[in-house]
Amino acid sequence: MQETILFLAFAGMAMVAGWFIQGIRASTTNVQTQPINEGRRSVLFWGLLVGGILITTATLWRWPHDASAGEGSVSVNVTGSQWSWEIDRETLPAGKTVVFNVHTTDVNHGMGITDDTGRILVQTQAMPGYVNQVRYVFEKPGTYNVICLEFCGIGHADMINEFKVVAEAG
Ligand code: CUA
């Protein structure tokens, strides 16, 4: 996915650069330009305006997205303190929406969840006085870690606690 986005960004940049080069070239040659066709310009303007409104409305129609976690979701409280995480469930189910209620008893921490390769799957801030929620569906059973993503003192790097994701019976 990231490669595709990078490729599209480069293609877009090349296109814009091409237009600029074309514009610079055209500005230095003395060519007679066509007079602007007012009717055609008007059609283009209103077409783009109406089309833009229709496309924007159609694609944003379902917003804001439903904030509920859905049936069968599971919630877990994750509380950070210098320098560990307290997770109030030992296991979480695979294939279900898990709602993490993230809180801290002292300073700001960055709550991140990583898989067994160390890849960050989801993250949110742990802030004093607030409970931040983040949702995730674990596809695979296994061991996952809650890590800290914000420097929070001498023990920051050791702020790692694991939990297990298990396949639901039945
Ligand atoms: Cu908690 Cu870094």
Side-chain angles (χ1 to χ4, degrees):
M1 189 62 181
Q2 274 170 338
E3 284 84 6
T4 314
I5 291 168
L6 192 68
F7 174 78
L8 287 175
F10 278 130
M13 283 184 233
M15 215 160 82
V16 172
W19 284 332
F20 270 97
I21 290 163
Q22 211 179 16
I24 291 163
R25 278 204 185 133
S27 71
T28 54
T29 51
N30 190 11
V31 287
Q32 196 63 45
T33 52
Q34 298 274 322
I36 295 163
N37 181 331
E38 283 296 334
R40 198 167 153 232
R41 188 159 75 166
S42 180
V43 166
L44 265 177
F45 173 78
W46 288 108
L48 285 172
L49 186 71
V50 171
I53 290 170
L54 286 179
I55 289 169
T56 306
T57 309
T59 52
L60 297 180
W61 192 250
R62 274 149 36 94
W63 283 33
H65 293 310
D66 186 5
S68 68
E71 240 169 81
S73 67
V74 166
S75 58
V76 56
N77 299 316
V78 178
T79 308
S81 328
Q82 287 165 317
W83 288 280
S84 66
W85 296 101
E86 194 195 304
I87 309 160
D88 74 348
R89 287 178 68 118
E90 277 175 19
T91 62
L92 291 168
K96 279 188 175 173
T97 302
V98 178
V99 181
F100 292 88
N101 301 309
V102 181
H103 179 59
T104 169
T105 60
D106 41 44
V107 300
N108 261 40
H109 300 275
M111 198 276 315
I113 293 167
T114 61
D115 64 11
D116 56 358
T117 67
R119 183 170 165 232
I120 297 172
L121 305 172
V122 65
Q123 65 93 27
T124 191
Q125 279 282 303
M127 297 153 73
Y130 294 89
V131 176
N132 288 335
Q133 282 195 332
V134 69
R135 285 145 218 263
Y136 193 74
V137 178
F138 295 94
E139 303 295 345
K140 282 187 292 182
T143 303
Y144 294 80
N145 283 310
V146 179
I147 64 166
C148 187
L149 300 169
E150 181 169 331
F151 185 72
C152 55
I154 192 85
H156 160 73
D158 290 326
M159 211 167 150
I160 303 170
N161 292 87
E162 68 172 45
F163 62 90
K164 300 241 187 284
V165 170
V166 293
E168 289 272 277

